[in-house]
């Protein structure tokens, strides 16, 4: 992240739907240090993320006639109907087209990749879009992930178009409800950006799981594939930071900030590097600059709430968690901790409500199970109390 309140939290621009911010780098090659990492061994590193599996080919063969009768609307209907093809949201891992199809799960980027692969097999024009929505934040231990949103538009094939066809009326595929997705502002991005976002996600997910070597190779591929995107450079910088290569981390993150002095992830991450290098003055300067760019940083009230919980100030904790929930109602962790504060204050109905909201907003099966267990405990407590 960024900010004095959390000096050891590195921020990753997670492409699982991270907004593509452009920078200009003549050549990223001097930023790579392959010799410091175990050789790449993942065959997926250079694989085609849109490649069709046998199961996808079978699906297209069996449903092909039905799909072609109403292209592209029939494909979109299949994506949104549980009994046919629908992909359920899962933020735990970014999947390529074949993986997402096999398990019918993925994040918004996985949905875009899988849909694009099927659409291309049907000769449907695909337009990728970065959606202008507020960034969302998630946390895994001391890593913070900032995400924006991507979707795609499908149009009819040129030969299927009728007089008066309006390409702006092409149908939108999105995890958001169709009516909401249609009215959001969005701008077109190239397929190379989608591929780089996928690789950047895999790097971030590898970092979160502790596989720093894999994280390096995924981040390297992301930078190589889209050298004008800022997000993969930030991820590469965090990889070096986690690997203990502070000079390399400083070089990468300085490159980002030279191109965009207000890059929030770069400011935060470079401040951490300066802390580790024993340079508190430059670190403080970066954090002051960050505070000007972003006066009210994500998770600031959350960590204040956790500190209040630790010292037994449950009312103060509740007030802090409420502030985070009010500005980020999608974040399951904020609802969960607000529910815990309610529980400590003896507010059982409110605690049940918040933990139910945590379940509803959870993006991984593991989080859902944790929240469901706590909710079951609260329900037992309420029954025992006759409430």
């Amino acid at each position: 992240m960024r900010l004095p309140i959390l000096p050891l939290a590195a921020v990753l621009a997670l492409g699982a739907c991270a907004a593509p911010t452009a920078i200009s780098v003549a050549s990223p090659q001097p930023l790579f240090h392959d010799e410091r990492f175990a050789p790449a061994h993942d065959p997926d590193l250079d694989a085609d993320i849109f490649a069709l599996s046998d199961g996808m080919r079978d699906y297209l063969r069996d449903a092909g006639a039905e799909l072609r009768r109403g292209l592209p609307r029939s494909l979109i209907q299949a994506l949104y109907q549980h009994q046919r093809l629908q992909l359920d949201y899962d933020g735990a891992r970014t999947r390529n087209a074949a993986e997402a199809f096999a398990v019918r799960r993925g994040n918004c980027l996985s949905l875009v990749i899988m849909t694009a692969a099927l659409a291309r097999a049907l000769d449907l024009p695909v337009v990728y879009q970065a959606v202008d929505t507020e960034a969302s934040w998630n946390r895994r231990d001391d890593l913070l992930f900032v995400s924006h949103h991507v979707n795609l538009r499908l149009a009819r094939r040129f030969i299927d178009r009728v007089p008066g066809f309006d390409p702006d009326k092409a149908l939108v595929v999105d995890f958001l409800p169709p009516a909401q997705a249609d009215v959001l502002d969005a701008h077109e991005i190239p397929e190379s950006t989608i591929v780089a976002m996928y690789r950047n996600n895999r790097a971030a997910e590898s970092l979160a799981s502790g596989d720093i070597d894999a994280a390096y190779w995924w981040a390297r591929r992301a930078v190589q594939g889209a050298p004008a995107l800022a997000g993969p450079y930030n991820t590469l910088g965090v990889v070096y930071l986690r690997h203990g290569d502070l000079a390399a981390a400083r070089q990468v993150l300085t490159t980002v900030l030279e191109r965009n002095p207000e890059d929030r992830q770069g400011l935060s991450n470079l401040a951490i590097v300066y802390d580790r290098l024993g340079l508190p003055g430059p670190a403080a300067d970066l954090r002051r600059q960050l505070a000007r760019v972003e006066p009210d940083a994500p998770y600031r009230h959350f960590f204040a709430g956790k500190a209040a919980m630790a010292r037994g100030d449950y009312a103060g904790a509740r007030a802090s968690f409420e502030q985070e929930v009010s500005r980020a109602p999608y974040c399951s962790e904020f609802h969960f901790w607000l529910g815990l504060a309610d529980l400590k204050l003896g507010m059982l109905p409110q605690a049940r409500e918040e933990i139910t909201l945590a379940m509803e907003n959870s993006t991984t099966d593991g989080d859902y199970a944790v929240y469901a267990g706590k909710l079951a405990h609260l329900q037992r407590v309420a029954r025992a109390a006759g409430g």
Side-chain angles (χ1 to χ4, degrees), residues 306-337:
K306 289 191 71 175
M309 289 282 282
R311 63 177 181 266
D313 179 11
Y314 304 124
R318 186 176 193 277
S320 292
F321 295 140
E322 279 188 314
Q323 286 184 279
E324 290 288 19
V325 165
S326 68
R327 68 175 182 172
Y330 58 82
C331 183
S332 61
E333 188 174 30
F334 296 161
H335 286 288
F336 180 68
W337 279 88

Side-chain angles (χ1 to χ4, degrees), residues 13-226:
L14 186 63
C17 306
T21 302
I23 60 174
S24 176
V25 177
S27 171
Q29 193 62 37
L31 303 177
F32 300 142
H33 298 283
D34 299 358
E35 72 283 357
R36 301 181 187 179
F37 298 88
H41 60 272
D42 191 338
D44 290 338
L45 277 169
D46 296 305
D48 178 7
I49 65 173
F50 301 98
L52 297 181
S53 65
D54 290 340
M56 296 172 79
R57 293 189 185 91
D58 291 343
Y59 172 80
L60 290 171
R61 184 187 63 246
D62 296 342
E66 179 185 357
L67 289 176
R68 286 183 170 83
R69 277 198 296 271
L71 295 177
R73 189 171 299 276
S74 293
L75 178 56
I76 290 181
Q77 289 173 343
L79 290 166
Y80 285 109
Q81 292 175 4
H82 273 291
Q83 66 270 29
R84 298 179 68 192
L85 181 58
Q86 187 184 42
L87 200 67
D88 289 327
Y89 192 88
D90 176 14
R93 183 174 182 272
T94 305
R95 296 179 172 90
N96 62 30
E99 292 169 336
F101 182 89
V103 299
R104 302 296 201 272
R105 298 178 68 80
N107 54 30
C108 67
L109 188 56
S110 302
L111 174 65
V112 164
I113 292 167
M114 185 193 78
T115 305
L118 293 170
R120 293 197 316 194
L122 296 168
D123 296 323
L124 285 175
V126 172
V127 175
Y128 304 100
Q129 300 185 132
V131 183
D132 298 331
T133 60
E134 185 178 351
S136 62
W137 289 81
N138 288 286
R139 181 176 69 100
R140 300 182 200 176
D141 298 323
D142 61 346
L143 291 174
L144 297 182
F145 300 85
V146 58
S147 300
H148 291 258
H149 192 59
V150 293
N151 64 21
L152 57 73
R153 288 189 288 119
L154 297 178
R156 284 186 176 274
R157 297 170 299 178
F158 182 79
I159 60 173
D160 295 329
R161 297 180 184 178
V162 296
F165 172 81
D166 182 356
D168 291 333
K169 298 298 184 183
L171 298 176
V172 175
V173 178
D174 201 306
F175 265 122
L176 296 173
Q180 183 179 350
D182 283 338
V183 301
L184 290 172
D185 291 332
H187 61 274
E188 184 175 347
I189 55 177
E191 186 169 279
S192 60
T193 295
I194 293 292
V195 175
M197 291 165 68
Y198 168 85
R199 291 170 172 168
N200 188 60
N201 273 27
R202 294 295 302 272
E205 291 158 3
S206 297
L207 260 182
S209 69
D211 191 344
I212 297 177
D213 291 314
Y216 171 76
W217 293 109
W218 279 112
R220 190 190 196 284
R221 293 296 196 280
V223 170
Q224 278 182 308

